[in-house]
Amino acid sequence: MVPQNIAIVGAGLAGMACAKTLEAHGARVRLFEKSRRPGGRMATRRVEVEGVNHSFDHGAQYLTAKGAHFAAVLDATRAQTWPDVTRRVGQPNMASICRGLADGLDIVVNRHVVEIAGRPGAWTLRHHDAALITPGAPAPDVPPQEDGPFDAVALAIPAPQAVPLLAGPAPHLAHVLEGVVMAPCWTLMIAFPTRLPLPDTLRLTGGPIGWAARDSSKPGRNAEQENWVVQAGPAWSREHLERRPVVVAKMLRDALEKLVGQPLPPPLICLAHRWRYALVETPLGAPCLWDPATGLGAGGDWAIAARAEAAVDSGAALAAAIRRQ
Ligand SMILES: Cc1cc2nc3c(=O)[nH]c(=O)nc-3n(C[C@H](O)[C@H](O)[C@H](O)COP(=O)(O)OP(=O)(O)OC[C@H]3O[C@@H](n4cnc5c(N)ncnc54)[C@H](O)[C@@H]3O)c2cc1C
């Protein structure tokens, strides 16, 4: 029987693309998201300094569409070209692309799913207030809430995070996902009172920095600000993965100073964010993972490639697989 009542864990691009496709074919879908807003790695951080708002796209930097489906998504959300006509960004920020996609979806936010319980045809999700969950720490002292039963559950979260959720109800699926490798990315958000003598974008190899961009040069941002997003490369990010954000922020600031070749002005903002699972290194090699026997599956960029378009394509493929059941 084709599942009609479906839970999706994760409201990033993949989860929302999966939900939209399923709903277009008449299914009832509920998404569970641990963050305060949908969007996942299509993220924007807002920081207020002395009453002035600054924003940084500290996840995906720009989007490229190879296929017609993603091109239509970008057109629908009025994404603008930057820094050239081949690449596009959300306006006024990257998160706005996800806000458009989230419209009309049933998304439960601030809920961290910790267990898939039940049996095929009647799955239950157990979830906690996300504020109570610290990665690596013991489970919270309060019982989780439960939602369900669902005919099917789709995990639209990074593969390494899907493994523990699938290990109990579908160890064969968890085993397949163990082959997916994702690289971390330390990201610096730094704002200056004056302009740096650098081009708007730089892609680099061989040092700590892999990419740096004048975020405030994107269309629709405050062009009077000098806000930068600096991403460390995967090797450097791995080497310094467990360092404190404040230490990493200083190290990446120093690397930026070296790049500029002269002392940097004192920054207004200097914050580091760690993406533990940022970019896919070894993908699944199939558009998604779906097991009709259990009614459980997973999808995300990690199935195909390290690009936002892959997340949308994987989510749509997962929906198609669920409907073929
Ligand atoms: C630093 C960085 C730079 C990037 N640059 C680019 C770029 O320039 N161009 C490009 O195309 N792509 C880029 N990407 C990749 C792009 O952001 C991703 O491919 C895409 O956003 C992945 O979408 P997704 O839905 O597969 O996963 P995610 O966006 O990771 O969504 C998963 C969601 O699941 C939630 N979640 C996880 N676990 C649970 C749980 N247990 N319970 C409830 N919710 C949960 C998360 O909070 C998240 O919202 C970049 C990514 C990063 C991190």
Side-chain angles (χ1 to χ4, degrees), residues 10 13-14 33-34 40-41 59-62 113 156-157 231 301 307-308:
L13 285 175
E33 168 55 52
K34 69 178 179 181
R41 281 170 277 159
Q61 296 296 290
Y62 57 79
V113 175
I157 62 182
Q231 293 173 350
D301 59 346
R307 300 172 55 236

Side-chain angles (χ1 to χ4, degrees), residues 170-217:
H172 56 298
L173 299 185
H175 181 66
V176 174
L177 291 190
E178 276 164 2
V180 173
V181 180
M182 297 183 75
C185 179
W186 270 114
T187 301
L188 174 70
M189 294 160 273
I190 190 161
F192 297 100
T194 52
R195 194 173 166 87
L196 302 188
L198 288 176
D200 287 348
T201 65
L202 297 100
R203 191 171 288 290
L204 304 154
T205 50
I209 298 177
W211 162 266
R214 178 178 282 114
D215 205 57
S216 44
S217 71

Side-chain angles (χ1 to χ4, degrees), residues 32-120:
F32 295 84
E33 168 55 52
K34 69 178 179 181
S35 298
R36 275 179 297 159
R37 294 187 198 88
R41 281 170 277 159
M42 292 272 293
T44 303
R45 176 81 64 89
R46 290 167 199 81
V47 186
E48 194 187 307
V49 180
E50 293 174 1
V52 179
N53 284 316
H54 295 253
S55 87
F56 302 84
D57 295 327
H58 64 305
Q61 296 296 290
Y62 57 79
L63 307 169
T64 48
K66 292 187 178 169
H69 182 194
F70 195 52
V73 170
L74 296 184
D75 288 344
T77 54
R78 301 214 182 93
Q80 304 290 304
T81 57
W82 178 91
D84 54 51
V85 291
T86 65
R87 297 179 271 183
R88 295 173 76 177
V89 295
Q91 187 170 238
N93 51 47
M94 292 302 264
S96 63
I97 291 188
C98 292
R99 271 198 295 282
L101 282 175
D103 257 4
L105 293 176
D106 175 10
I107 305 178
V108 185
V109 295
N110 287 324
R111 302 306 303 177
H112 191 129
V113 175
V114 291
E115 191 182 345
I116 304 170
R119 58 186 160 73

Side-chain angles (χ1 to χ4, degrees), residues 219-241:
R221 278 61 170 181
N222 184 345
E224 284 169 16
Q225 295 182 347
E226 182 71 354
N227 297 346
W228 281 79
V229 169
V230 178
Q231 293 173 350
W236 193 94
S237 296
R238 273 202 177 94
E239 190 186 336
H240 300 286
L241 193 62

Side-chain angles (χ1 to χ4, degrees), residues 258-315:
K258 221 168 155 190
L259 206 61
V260 172
Q262 62 189 58
L264 292 176
L268 305 169
I269 297 162
C270 183
L271 294 170
H273 178 88
R274 179 180 62 189
W275 296 100
R276 194 177 277 280
Y277 304 111
L279 296 166
V280 193
E281 285 183 334
T282 308
L284 179 69
C288 65
L289 187 64
W290 173 247
D291 178 29
T294 55
L296 297 174
D301 59 346
W302 49 264
I304 304 172
R307 300 172 55 236
E309 181 173 27
V312 170
D313 288 350
S314 177

